Amino acid sequence: MQTEDRTADREFSSFAEFWVEGEWAPFVETVHPGGRSPHTLAVFQQPAGAFPDPPLPEFQLQLVAKGSAQSRVEFGGTAFSSQLSPGGIYLSPPDTDCNYEVEGLHRIIALAINKNAMDRFREQADFELPRDFGRLHEQKFHDPIIEALMLRMLEQAMVDHPTSDLFLDQSTNTILVGLLCRSGTMQPDTEDARPLSDGDIAKVSRIIDERLEDNLSIADLARVTSLSDWHFARAFKQATGLSPHQYVLRRRIARAIDLLRNSQIALAEVALSAGFSSQSHMTDVFRQKVGTTPGKYRDQIKA
């Protein structure tokens, strides 16, 4: 059975919207938006067929709850085949075309996590974390902890209880940790420790200020000091009291404040000029660090 392509030319802003109004809509059993939380849960019962996903700004985890059939998965041009079976988990990266072809009936529990959640998760860490999950999307995997958390999250999302949002938030963070551990992107560093000199800090600070609008990586900054990524991240925090990512955020906030004070450009342009991925990301960080939103801050200083 093939779905009628009613929305081929339509753009969707999230998986929640796509699941309700896109090609998968006829097979959706339930969708639970995350509310203030950066995730959405959904359950599908699909027949054999091809099921394309548009590129959306979210990671998506698909847990097979039912079905035993051959499947072919393609993420951004990288394809692999696997036996679809209960407990199997597939990860699709954000902003990537994803296509699934399945030869039999299957039931899927899906969890979409906005990539901005990864940014916030990294900001809260005491050490530098990778930006993504490496090549984990190129294989099916089994993880009983992630499976149990997704099942419990689905159960909790259906309960109107004051602790539900807290449970969903913490479970999302635990899943992100599990994905990072499984991805192999976090490797132990056996390099002998060497502290950063004042000259090292000055060079790194200069690079950050010069390239604040760029998507700077730990590797970019570590290269300035000739240290490995992990050693640099630890040494930088020992020297400054901040992780490199936290330091970059501080410089971005400083630039945003300067632009809010001394220009009339739109908030979205302020965000991009200060190196934030979006206006909403700037607002989240600004509220956390400054205690108000950029718009209110500009109004206060102009009053």
Side-chain angles (χ1 to χ4, degrees):
M1 175 180 177
Q2 296 290 330
T3 62
E4 181 184 353
D5 192 359
R6 298 171 293 116
T7 55
D9 298 326
R10 176 172 173 181
E11 293 186 359
F12 298 91
S13 61
S14 67
F15 274 111
E17 184 180 348
F18 173 70
W19 289 334
V20 172
E21 302 179 23
E23 293 180 62
W24 289 30
F27 312 114
V28 175
E29 293 184 4
T30 183
V31 175
H32 295 281
R36 67 174 183 82
S37 301
H39 63 261
T40 303
L41 286 154
V43 181
F44 313 96
Q45 178 103 334
Q46 297 171 317
F51 304 95
D53 282 351
L56 293 168
E58 294 164 299
F59 296 94
Q60 183 189 185
L61 280 174
Q62 292 193 9
L63 169 66
V64 181
K66 175 184 176 182
S68 180
Q70 189 67 21
S71 66
R72 183 180 183 276
V73 184
E74 181 179 341
F75 297 134
T78 299
F80 65 92
S81 296
S82 68
Q83 182 68 28
L84 184 144
S85 58
I89 300 175
Y90 298 85
L91 169 70
S92 64
D95 303 318
T96 305
D97 286 304
C98 304
N99 295 290
Y100 306 84
E101 295 180 13
V102 183
E103 296 181 357
L105 180 70
H106 53 287
R107 188 169 189 262
I108 298 290
I109 298 171
L111 170 65
I113 303 174
N114 193 291
K115 64 181 180 182
N116 287 339
M118 187 67 174
D119 290 333
R120 289 190 286 271
F121 176 67
R122 293 172 66 249
E123 289 158 16
Q124 297 168 4
D126 291 333
F127 56 93
E128 200 67 21
L129 294 174
R131 292 183 178 274
D132 56 34
F133 306 113
R135 308 182 74 84
L136 188 59
H137 62 276
E138 295 182 0
Q139 58 184 320
K140 179 186 76 173
F141 62 92
H142 291 263
D143 190 305
I145 294 177
I146 292 178
E147 178 182 0
L149 281 170
M150 288 182 65
L151 292 172
R152 182 61 189 275
M153 287 176 73
L154 181 62
E155 177 183 319
Q156 194 69 34
M158 300 173 69
V159 178
D160 183 15
H161 192 275
T163 62
S164 293
D165 283 344
L166 179 61
F167 180 85
L168 294 171
D169 286 346
Q170 295 304 315
S171 296
T172 299
N173 284 345
T174 302
I175 287 173
L176 291 174
V177 172
L179 294 173
L180 285 171
C181 292
R182 178 170 288 276
S183 69
T185 54
M186 298 179 62
Q187 299 295 332
D189 187 358
T190 58
E191 182 180 1
D192 291 336
R194 173 175 75 78
L196 293 180
S197 66
D198 291 343
D200 289 330
I201 298 297
K203 287 189 291 185
V204 171
S205 298
R206 184 169 60 252
I207 290 294
I208 288 172
D209 286 338
E210 290 175 353
R211 298 180 55 191
L212 201 56
E213 297 178 43
D214 297 340
N215 191 18
L216 283 170
S217 68
I218 288 296
D220 294 328
L221 301 178
R223 196 175 298 117
V224 177
T225 64
S226 300
L227 296 176
S228 71
D229 297 1
W230 294 106
H231 183 193
F232 166 77
R234 290 201 302 270
F236 188 90
K237 184 166 186 179
Q238 289 172 354
T240 66
L242 297 170
S243 73
H245 185 66
Q246 291 167 336
Y247 185 86
V248 169
L249 283 179
R250 177 173 289 189
R251 298 306 305 151
R252 286 177 173 160
I253 287 293
R255 180 171 293 183
I257 287 174
D258 180 65
L259 291 170
L260 291 169
R261 283 180 173 275
N262 300 305
S263 78
Q264 295 299 319
I265 62 176
L267 294 180
E269 193 172 345
V270 170
L272 294 178
S273 298
F276 291 100
S277 59
S278 65
Q279 182 180 334
S280 62
H281 183 212
M282 178 181 72
T283 299
D284 287 345
V285 177
F286 204 94
R287 184 187 291 112
Q288 179 184 3
K289 303 297 184 184
V290 183
T292 187
T293 66
K296 290 181 180 178
Y297 180 86
R298 173 177 271 175
D299 291 340
Q300 291 168 359
I301 62 176
K302 299 297 183 183

